[in-house]
Amino acid sequence: MKTTETKKTDTKKAPAKTTQSKGGRAVKAKSNAAEGLRELFIDSLKDIYWAEKALTKALPKMAKNATSENLITAINAHLTVTEGQVQRLEQVFELLGEKAAAKKCDAMEGLIKEGESIMEETQEGPVRDAGIISASQKIEHYEIASYGTLAAFALTLQEDEAAALLQQTLEEEKEADTILTEVAYNTINFDASEEDQEE
């Protein structure tokens, strides 16, 4: 019995030692840091609100630089959807009794900048179109992860109406990702590949 108890005690202590031995530096929280899940939820909503508003400015630039009609149509269609998503987020803020406010989203800013770099570093045509799809899908995957988390937070906080709205946006982002994949595989990637063979 004593041996078993000793082993149990040792097992409990082990994870603490492992955590300490991993190294790294503890992050000091800001004075206005979120203390509860609800605060984190609202903070994350502000983040994605900024991201969606930034996208409404970035998508027209992508459409202008694309040459494939299918891609231009897909981007313009998603611009309309994105504008609706901004309004839906405003509904979520209202349901929570919060003012709709944007907080700069570093991740989205980086993804948009990456998209701009891709356009600058590619020749107009199928190769640039393939790059635009690549950049767009990275954005979609970020949004899918964000809305999935936000919907889960809303459900946990028993904000069912907000969760339903966020889930609706999540489904739209998944659909946009699927459309981009189809556009890429139907023509653009193959056209871009042919350009490589012609060189």
Side-chain angles (χ1 to χ4, degrees):
M1 291 291 284
K2 283 182 181 177
T3 312
T4 311
E5 282 171 14
T6 308
K7 281 182 182 176
K8 281 181 183 175
T9 308
D10 290 346
T11 308
K12 283 179 184 175
K13 286 181 181 177
K17 286 180 181 175
T18 309
T19 306
Q20 288 171 2
S21 64
K22 280 182 183 175
R25 193 167 53 92
V27 176
K28 188 177 179 182
K30 292 180 180 179
S31 58
N32 62 344
E35 290 182 14
L37 184 62
R38 189 177 183 85
E39 280 184 75
L40 177 60
F41 176 48
I42 291 164
D43 198 54
S44 301
L45 282 170
K46 290 176 181 178
D47 201 65
I48 200 70
Y49 186 54
W50 187 97
E52 294 291 17
K53 289 181 109 176
L55 263 184
T56 62
K57 295 172 187 172
L59 288 170
K61 189 173 181 181
M62 287 182 177
K64 193 175 179 181
N65 280 277
T67 54
S68 158
E69 285 303 320
N70 287 343
L71 179 56
I72 293 166
T73 301
I75 293 170
N76 285 331
H78 194 58
L79 173 59
T80 304
V81 171
T82 302
E83 288 165 348
Q85 291 170 348
V86 169
Q87 292 172 354
R88 198 176 293 135
L89 281 169
E90 288 166 356
Q91 282 181 267
V92 172
F93 279 112
E94 196 176 333
L95 284 168
L96 298 170
E98 296 285 334
K99 183 184 174 184
K103 177 188 169 189
K104 186 178 175 183
C105 175
D106 294 331
M108 184 59 77
E109 183 184 43
L111 288 166
I112 289 171
K113 280 183 180 175
E114 184 177 342
E116 288 171 354
S117 295
I118 287 170
M119 289 187 285
E120 288 168 2
E121 293 164 10
T122 51
Q123 292 292 334
E124 185 178 349
V127 174
R128 181 178 288 175
D129 287 351
I132 289 170
I133 289 175
S134 168
S136 298
Q137 287 197 290
K138 287 178 184 180
I139 288 168
E140 290 307 324
H141 288 200
Y142 172 73
E143 289 183 304
I144 288 166
S146 297
Y147 281 108
T149 300
L150 287 167
F153 282 174
L155 284 173
T156 305
L157 294 164
Q158 297 182 327
E159 295 287 354
D160 295 345
E161 284 184 72
L165 290 170
L166 293 164
Q167 186 66 37
Q168 189 180 339
T169 300
L170 174 60
E171 296 309 319
E172 288 173 351
E173 300 298 5
K174 288 178 180 177
E175 186 182 349
D177 183 50
T178 301
I179 290 167
L180 287 166
T181 299
E182 287 169 0
V183 171
Y185 279 107
N186 284 345
T187 53
I188 291 171
N189 285 359
F190 298 104
D191 290 346
S193 176
E194 281 174 18
E195 286 204 357
D196 284 345
Q197 291 167 14
E198 287 170 11
E199 287 178 3

PDB file of all heavy atoms in Angstrom, residues 125-142:
ATOM      1  N   GLY A 125      -2.049  36.833 -64.835  1.00  0.00           N
ATOM      2  CA  GLY A 125      -2.448  35.637 -65.566  1.00  0.00           C
ATOM      3  C   GLY A 125      -2.687  34.471 -64.626  1.00  0.00           C
ATOM      4  O   GLY A 125      -2.893  34.662 -63.421  1.00  0.00           O
ATOM      5  N   PRO A 126      -2.626  33.241 -65.155  1.00  0.00           N
ATOM      6  CA  PRO A 126      -2.946  32.053 -64.353  1.00  0.00           C
ATOM      7  C   PRO A 126      -2.089  31.881 -63.100  1.00  0.00           C
ATOM      8  O   PRO A 126      -2.589  31.420 -62.076  1.00  0.00           O
ATOM      9  CB  PRO A 126      -2.710  30.888 -65.320  1.00  0.00           C
ATOM     10  CG  PRO A 126      -2.837  31.481 -66.673  1.00  0.00           C
ATOM     11  CD  PRO A 126      -2.356  32.888 -66.555  1.00  0.00           C
ATOM     12  N   VAL A 127      -0.809  32.255 -63.179  1.00  0.00           N
ATOM     13  CA  VAL A 127       0.069  32.078 -62.009  1.00  0.00           C
ATOM     14  C   VAL A 127      -0.370  33.017 -60.881  1.00  0.00           C
ATOM     15  O   VAL A 127      -0.480  32.601 -59.725  1.00  0.00           O
ATOM     16  CB  VAL A 127       1.552  32.316 -62.379  1.00  0.00           C
ATOM     17  CG1 VAL A 127       2.434  32.270 -61.141  1.00  0.00           C
ATOM     18  CG2 VAL A 127       2.018  31.282 -63.392  1.00  0.00           C
ATOM     19  N   ARG A 128      -0.657  34.271 -61.225  1.00  0.00           N
ATOM     20  CA  ARG A 128      -1.151  35.205 -60.201  1.00  0.00           C
ATOM     21  C   ARG A 128      -2.501  34.737 -59.667  1.00  0.00           C
ATOM     22  O   ARG A 128      -2.756  34.804 -58.465  1.00  0.00           O
ATOM     23  CB  ARG A 128      -1.267  36.629 -60.754  1.00  0.00           C
ATOM     24  CG  ARG A 128      -1.744  37.614 -59.695  1.00  0.00           C
ATOM     25  CD  ARG A 128      -1.829  39.033 -60.213  1.00  0.00           C
ATOM     26  NE  ARG A 128      -0.498  39.593 -60.412  1.00  0.00           N
ATOM     27  CZ  ARG A 128      -0.277  40.795 -60.948  1.00  0.00           C
ATOM     28  NH1 ARG A 128      -1.296  41.536 -61.353  1.00  0.00           N
ATOM     29  NH2 ARG A 128       0.953  41.239 -61.088  1.00  0.00           N
ATOM     30  N   ASP A 129      -3.361  34.248 -60.558  1.00  0.00           N
ATOM     31  CA  ASP A 129      -4.670  33.736 -60.130  1.00  0.00           C
ATOM     32  C   ASP A 129      -4.497  32.601 -59.114  1.00  0.00           C
ATOM     33  O   ASP A 129      -5.201  32.549 -58.106  1.00  0.00           O
ATOM     34  CB  ASP A 129      -5.479  33.236 -61.336  1.00  0.00           C
ATOM     35  CG  ASP A 129      -6.014  34.387 -62.199  1.00  0.00           C
ATOM     36  OD1 ASP A 129      -5.913  35.558 -61.780  1.00  0.00           O
ATOM     37  OD2 ASP A 129      -6.528  34.104 -63.292  1.00  0.00           O
ATOM     38  N   ALA A 130      -3.552  31.714 -59.396  1.00  0.00           N
ATOM     39  CA  ALA A 130      -3.282  30.598 -58.469  1.00  0.00           C
ATOM     40  C   ALA A 130      -2.802  31.141 -57.123  1.00  0.00           C
ATOM     41  O   ALA A 130      -3.186  30.635 -56.055  1.00  0.00           O
ATOM     42  CB  ALA A 130      -2.250  29.649 -59.066  1.00  0.00           C
ATOM     43  N   GLY A 131      -1.988  32.189 -57.164  1.00  0.00           N
ATOM     44  CA  GLY A 131      -1.497  32.821 -55.942  1.00  0.00           C
ATOM     45  C   GLY A 131      -2.617  33.484 -55.153  1.00  0.00           C
ATOM     46  O   GLY A 131      -2.657  33.415 -53.925  1.00  0.00           O
ATOM     47  N   ILE A 132      -3.543  34.127 -55.872  1.00  0.00           N
ATOM     48  CA  ILE A 132      -4.688  34.780 -55.222  1.00  0.00           C
ATOM     49  C   ILE A 132      -5.562  33.729 -54.528  1.00  0.00           C
ATOM     50  O   ILE A 132      -6.025  33.934 -53.405  1.00  0.00           O
ATOM     51  CB  ILE A 132      -5.508  35.602 -56.247  1.00  0.00           C
ATOM     52  CG1 ILE A 132      -4.718  36.849 -56.669  1.00  0.00           C
ATOM     53  CG2 ILE A 132      -6.873  36.001 -55.673  1.00  0.00           C
ATOM     54  CD1 ILE A 132      -5.305  37.618 -57.840  1.00  0.00           C
ATOM     55  N   ILE A 133      -5.753  32.593 -55.199  1.00  0.00           N
ATOM     56  CA  ILE A 133      -6.535  31.512 -54.583  1.00  0.00           C
ATOM     57  C   ILE A 133      -5.828  31.002 -53.330  1.00  0.00           C
ATOM     58  O   ILE A 133      -6.453  30.795 -52.286  1.00  0.00           O
ATOM     59  CB  ILE A 133      -6.772  30.359 -55.578  1.00  0.00           C
ATOM     60  CG1 ILE A 133      -7.770  30.796 -56.657  1.00  0.00           C
ATOM     61  CG2 ILE A 133      -7.305  29.107 -54.860  1.00  0.00           C
ATOM     62  CD1 ILE A 133      -7.988  29.790 -57.754  1.00  0.00           C
ATOM     63  N   SER A 134      -4.519  30.836 -53.418  1.00  0.00           N
ATOM     64  CA  SER A 134      -3.737  30.376 -52.268  1.00  0.00           C
ATOM     65  C   SER A 134      -3.913  31.322 -51.078  1.00  0.00           C
ATOM     66  O   SER A 134      -4.196  30.902 -49.954  1.00  0.00           O
ATOM     67  CB  SER A 134      -2.261  30.281 -52.660  1.00  0.00           C
ATOM     68  OG  SER A 134      -1.449  30.117 -51.519  1.00  0.00           O
ATOM     69  N   ALA A 135      -3.762  32.630 -51.347  1.00  0.00           N
ATOM     70  CA  ALA A 135      -3.896  33.635 -50.288  1.00  0.00           C
ATOM     71  C   ALA A 135      -5.318  33.650 -49.735  1.00  0.00           C
ATOM     72  O   ALA A 135      -5.531  33.732 -48.518  1.00  0.00           O
ATOM     73  CB  ALA A 135      -3.533  35.014 -50.833  1.00  0.00           C
ATOM     74  N   SER A 136      -6.299  33.533 -50.628  1.00  0.00           N
ATOM     75  CA  SER A 136      -7.710  33.554 -50.214  1.00  0.00           C
ATOM     76  C   SER A 136      -8.056  32.356 -49.339  1.00  0.00           C
ATOM     77  O   SER A 136      -8.803  32.486 -48.362  1.00  0.00           O
ATOM     78  CB  SER A 136      -8.626  33.562 -51.446  1.00  0.00           C
ATOM     79  OG  SER A 136      -8.402  34.717 -52.211  1.00  0.00           O
ATOM     80  N   GLN A 137      -7.504  31.191 -49.694  1.00  0.00           N
ATOM     81  CA  GLN A 137      -7.815  30.001 -48.904  1.00  0.00           C
ATOM     82  C   GLN A 137      -7.170  30.045 -47.517  1.00  0.00           C
ATOM     83  O   GLN A 137      -7.745  29.556 -46.548  1.00  0.00           O
ATOM     84  CB  GLN A 137      -7.430  28.733 -49.663  1.00  0.00           C
ATOM     85  CG  GLN A 137      -8.404  28.482 -50.812  1.00  0.00           C
ATOM     86  CD  GLN A 137      -8.342  27.073 -51.338  1.00  0.00           C
ATOM     87  OE1 GLN A 137      -7.364  26.683 -51.964  1.00  0.00           O
ATOM     88  NE2 GLN A 137      -9.392  26.312 -51.105  1.00  0.00           N
ATOM     89  N   LYS A 138      -6.008  30.665 -47.418  1.00  0.00           N
ATOM     90  CA  LYS A 138      -5.394  30.842 -46.092  1.00  0.00           C
ATOM     91  C   LYS A 138      -6.308  31.709 -45.225  1.00  0.00           C
ATOM     92  O   LYS A 138      -6.502  31.443 -44.036  1.00  0.00           O
ATOM     93  CB  LYS A 138      -4.012  31.486 -46.221  1.00  0.00           C
ATOM     94  CG  LYS A 138      -2.960  30.537 -46.761  1.00  0.00           C
ATOM     95  CD  LYS A 138      -1.625  31.243 -46.914  1.00  0.00           C
ATOM     96  CE  LYS A 138      -0.599  30.310 -47.558  1.00  0.00           C
ATOM     97  NZ  LYS A 138       0.721  30.978 -47.714  1.00  0.00           N
ATOM     98  N   ILE A 139      -6.878  32.749 -45.849  1.00  0.00           N
ATOM     99  CA  ILE A 139      -7.808  33.630 -45.139  1.00  0.00           C
ATOM    100  C   ILE A 139      -9.047  32.846 -44.705  1.00  0.00           C
ATOM    101  O   ILE A 139      -9.494  32.950 -43.564  1.00  0.00           O
ATOM    102  CB  ILE A 139      -8.189  34.842 -46.030  1.00  0.00           C
ATOM    103  CG1 ILE A 139      -6.990  35.804 -46.136  1.00  0.00           C
ATOM    104  CG2 ILE A 139      -9.417  35.571 -45.480  1.00  0.00           C
ATOM    105  CD1 ILE A 139      -7.133  36.886 -47.201  1.00  0.00           C
ATOM    106  N   GLU A 140      -9.593  32.050 -45.637  1.00  0.00           N
ATOM    107  CA  GLU A 140     -10.787  31.260 -45.324  1.00  0.00           C
ATOM    108  C   GLU A 140     -10.522  30.291 -44.166  1.00  0.00           C
ATOM    109  O   GLU A 140     -11.356  30.131 -43.271  1.00  0.00           O
ATOM    110  CB  GLU A 140     -11.263  30.468 -46.545  1.00  0.00           C
ATOM    111  CG  GLU A 140     -11.852  31.317 -47.655  1.00  0.00           C
ATOM    112  CD  GLU A 140     -12.956  32.250 -47.191  1.00  0.00           C
ATOM    113  OE1 GLU A 140     -13.742  31.878 -46.310  1.00  0.00           O
ATOM    114  OE2 GLU A 140     -13.017  33.376 -47.701  1.00  0.00           O
ATOM    115  N   HIS A 141      -9.366  29.659 -44.179  1.00  0.00           N
ATOM    116  CA  HIS A 141      -9.053  28.685 -43.123  1.00  0.00           C
ATOM    117  C   HIS A 141      -8.917  29.383 -41.767  1.00  0.00           C
ATOM    118  O   HIS A 141      -9.328  28.839 -40.745  1.00  0.00           O
ATOM    119  CB  HIS A 141      -7.786  27.904 -43.469  1.00  0.00           C
ATOM    120  CG  HIS A 141      -8.000  26.935 -44.587  1.00  0.00           C
ATOM    121  ND1 HIS A 141      -7.180  25.858 -44.819  1.00  0.00           N
ATOM    122  CD2 HIS A 141      -8.957  26.872 -45.551  1.00  0.00           C
ATOM    123  CE1 HIS A 141      -7.625  25.179 -45.866  1.00  0.00           C
ATOM    124  NE2 HIS A 141      -8.690  25.785 -46.323  1.00  0.00           N
ATOM    125  N   TYR A 142      -8.367  30.579 -41.770  1.00  0.00           N
ATOM    126  CA  TYR A 142      -8.285  31.354 -40.531  1.00  0.00           C
ATOM    127  C   TYR A 142      -9.690  31.684 -40.031  1.00  0.00           C
ATOM    128  O   TYR A 142      -9.988  31.558 -38.838  1.00  0.00           O
ATOM    129  CB  TYR A 142      -7.481  32.645 -40.750  1.00  0.00           C
ATOM    130  CG  TYR A 142      -7.536  33.561 -39.550  1.00  0.00           C
ATOM    131  CD1 TYR A 142      -6.827  33.257 -38.389  1.00  0.00           C
ATOM    132  CD2 TYR A 142      -8.338  34.704 -39.555  1.00  0.00           C
ATOM    133  CE1 TYR A 142      -6.903  34.071 -37.264  1.00  0.00           C
ATOM    134  CE2 TYR A 142      -8.415  35.523 -38.436  1.00  0.00           C
ATOM    135  CZ  TYR A 142      -7.698  35.201 -37.299  1.00  0.00           C
ATOM    136  OH  TYR A 142      -7.785  36.005 -36.179  1.00  0.00           O
TER     137      TYR A 142
END
